[in-house]
Amino acid sequence: MVQEAVSSENLAPAPDISHIVIEDDTPVDNFRLEKQQRLLTEVLYTSWNRPTGSERFIVAANAGVFYSIGLPPLVPDVFLSLDVTMPDDWQQKKNRTYFTWEFGKAPDVVIEIVSNREGNELGSKLQDYARMAVGYYAVFDPLQLLGDEILRTYQLAVRHYVEMDTSWLAEVGLGLTLWEGVFEGKQDIWLRWCDIEGNVLRHC
């Protein structure tokens, strides 16, 4: 059977986003978080060699991710979405933040960085990202406010997360690792992207 071409008349209309607030100018909350976010975002654009044909991705910090018109956005500390392209025209509201219905998918990785005990990273946020269908969820707790583990990683299994015993995100082709060293003059334990052998991705 020859499948008929889908006409534009049969497509569902784009949701009305005129009432949605996508920028509220909420500041980043501390120096550690600001540096950590840049360490995780900038290096992918400068040093990550993805396989040929799959170079497109977006990695961002503190940008809203909307997955339902009726629900407020989630604002990950860092997220990575593969096989999508940053829109060219930022004059259009629909292009200035991550609407999942515009990009056609949820992010592949979300990272939350714990800076207090009020973020609920292991409670409601974990459930919300699973509902959004984010493939991998990582919680970096450098001050150990939520327990002894500094890094927890989870993989989506149907509708809930299963905690992983590795930090290698196989479907993404990246890993996460703890790295003790100096970044921009600050000695600390940092969360870094790494390859399958555990080598950290370094800035060019």
Side-chain angles (χ1 to χ4, degrees), residues 19-185:
H19 63 288
I20 294 178
V21 176
I22 63 171
E23 301 107 348
D24 63 8
D25 296 323
T26 301
V28 69
D29 67 354
N30 61 56
F31 291 136
R32 176 199 289 265
L33 180 57
E34 188 273 337
K35 286 183 180 293
Q36 179 64 81
Q37 287 170 327
R38 283 191 294 105
L39 189 56
L40 289 169
T41 55
E42 293 176 5
V43 70
L44 292 190
Y45 287 115
T46 61
S47 303
W48 186 26
N49 296 318
R50 296 197 68 208
T52 301
S54 59
E55 299 92 345
R56 298 179 303 126
F57 66 90
I58 294 174
V59 59
N62 273 344
V65 179
F66 292 80
Y67 65 106
S68 173
I69 284 290
L71 296 174
L74 299 176
V75 186
D77 287 320
V78 175
F79 76 81
L80 169 63
S81 188
L82 305 180
D83 302 314
V84 295
T85 302
M86 187 73 73
D88 292 327
D89 183 7
W90 284 353
Q91 296 295 324
Q92 297 188 59
K93 186 175 184 179
K94 68 177 184 177
N95 292 339
R96 297 201 304 271
T97 193
Y98 198 100
F99 292 110
T100 57
W101 54 86
E102 293 290 340
F103 287 95
K105 61 188 293 274
D108 295 272
V109 182
V110 159
I111 299 171
E112 289 288 354
I113 302 165
V114 181
S115 56
N116 56 53
R117 291 187 174 88
E118 300 172 5
N120 215 5
E121 288 84 1
L122 300 180
S124 61
K125 282 187 178 178
L126 186 144
Q127 297 169 3
D128 288 340
Y129 288 124
R131 186 179 301 113
M132 187 190 288
V134 173
Y136 293 99
Y137 177 52
V139 178
F140 177 47
D141 185 12
L143 302 178
Q144 295 178 283
L145 297 174
L146 304 182
D148 295 334
E149 294 183 62
I150 296 178
L151 176 62
R152 297 175 174 87
T153 54
Y154 301 85
Q155 185 171 16
L156 190 66
V158 189
R159 297 182 181 180
H160 66 280
Y161 283 117
V162 175
E163 188 164 4
M164 302 166 62
D165 58 6
T166 177
S167 296
W168 176 248
L169 315 180
E171 295 181 13
V172 176
L174 278 171
L176 289 166
T177 189
L178 300 177
W179 175 79
E180 187 170 356
V182 178
F183 176 60
E184 295 184 346

Side-chain angles (χ1 to χ4, degrees), residues 188-201:
D188 212 331
I189 295 176
W190 303 96
L191 183 63
R192 303 286 298 268
W193 298 107
C194 66
D195 63 20
I196 195 169
E197 296 176 348
N199 301 308
V200 298
L201 272 62

